[in-house]
Amino acid sequence: QITLKESGPTLLKPTQTLTLTCTFSGFSLSTNEVTVGWIRQPPGEALDWLALIYWDDDKYYSSSLKSRLTITKDTSKNQVVLTMTNMDPEDTATYYCVHSLYYLGRYAFDVWGQGTMVTVSS
Amino acid sequence: DIQMTQSPSSLSASVGDRVIVTCRASQSISIYLSWYQQKSGKAPRLLIYAASTLQSGVPSRFSGGVSGTNFTLTISSLQPEDFATYYCQQSYNTPITFGQGTRLEIK
């Protein structure tokens, strides 16, 4: 059974850096075709994809946030870490860690963490 | 970036109704389209991937279709547990993008 759980701060001040950790079980990020990603959702708004990291350490980022995001993995700890710099109140959202289902060379997000709410406020 | 446009943005329907939600891609994305259901306060749930493949455990009243760049999610007979918000998502290329959501409400 695949599970993912997000952890990190719940409250940040503007300009601070957010560091979120996704701890997962039930799969290995060193296995071919496995990916883990991050998606966020501001209150009352739509889903917003942030980043994806592949088993071979390839990384992909949101166009609008690329300069602020870094995604890394620690295969030995079964963890993926997302950092986002220069946080703003508009970054207030629930942040989800997701496992991807691989099909025909592409991905769908088949298992989601419970999400962690991050508030940015002075 | 590929834009995904869902319609309608909200929809009122009754138990037993047949409902269709549409998602249009701004360019060709082949069949790389997924549908998700999200209930209030919960994480989204994958319903359909590859435009029409039902995820394991999803009831057969859900189905997906495609014609060109237009994709549909059909619920053949609405059940009380189906009232939720639905999102489409393309994975044809990065950045991955979602539609703005369709809120399905009880009439």
Side-chain angles (χ1 to χ4, degrees), chain B:
Chain B
D1 298 6
I2 298 174
Q3 305 302 315
M4 306 301 294
T5 304
Q6 287 183 235
S7 60
S9 56
S10 65
L11 175 60
S12 294
S14 300
V15 173
D17 283 354
R18 180 172 180 262
V19 166
I20 299 174
V21 179
T22 298
C23 179
R24 177 182 299 174
S26 60
Q27 66 180 74
S28 174
I29 58 169
S30 186
I31 61 166
Y32 299 113
L33 189 285
S34 302
W35 289 99
Y36 300 84
Q37 175 193 66
Q38 186 178 31
K39 298 183 179 179
S40 181
K42 301 294 187 182
R45 170 196 182 195
L46 176 65
L47 298 176
I48 287 170
Y49 62 95
S52 61
T53 301
L54 210 60
Q55 171 68 341
S56 175
V58 174
S60 59
R61 63 180 179 273
F62 291 91
S63 63
V66 55
S67 176
T69 59
N70 294 308
F71 297 81
T72 56
L73 170 69
T74 300
I75 309 173
S76 60
S77 178
L78 270 175
Q79 298 302 300
E81 60 267 29
D82 299 337
F83 291 94
T85 301
Y86 293 85
Y87 294 94
C88 62
Q89 169 248 318
Q90 68 81 21
S91 61
Y92 178 72
N93 61 18
T94 54
I96 290 168
T97 46
F98 287 89
Q100 81 278 17
T102 295
R103 184 175 179 182
L104 181 52
E105 300 173 322
I106 301 173
K107 184 181 287 184

Side-chain angles (χ1 to χ4, degrees), chain A residues 46-117:
Chain A
L47 301 167
D48 182 25
W49 174 77
L50 299 176
L52 200 61
I53 188 164
Y54 284 43
W55 77 97
D56 61 0
D57 213 36
D58 258 355
K59 301 165 187 179
Y60 296 90
Y61 296 102
S62 160
S63 298
S64 60
L65 296 170
K66 187 173 185 176
S67 63
R68 299 172 52 205
L69 293 173
T70 303
I71 189 169
T72 60
K73 64 181 175 70
D74 186 331
T75 305
S76 65
K77 293 183 179 179
N78 280 353
Q79 290 182 334
V80 170
V81 175
L82 181 77
T83 60
M84 182 181 296
T85 60
N86 195 25
M87 292 292 283
D88 182 88
E90 288 192 350
D91 298 313
T92 293
T94 296
Y95 288 74
Y96 294 101
C97 178
V98 294
H99 171 274
S100 300
L101 177 158
Y102 180 80
Y103 72 97
L104 305 174
R106 301 298 194 278
Y107 297 90
F109 304 121
D110 64 335
V111 184
W112 295 62
Q114 64 188 23
T116 185
M117 179 67 191

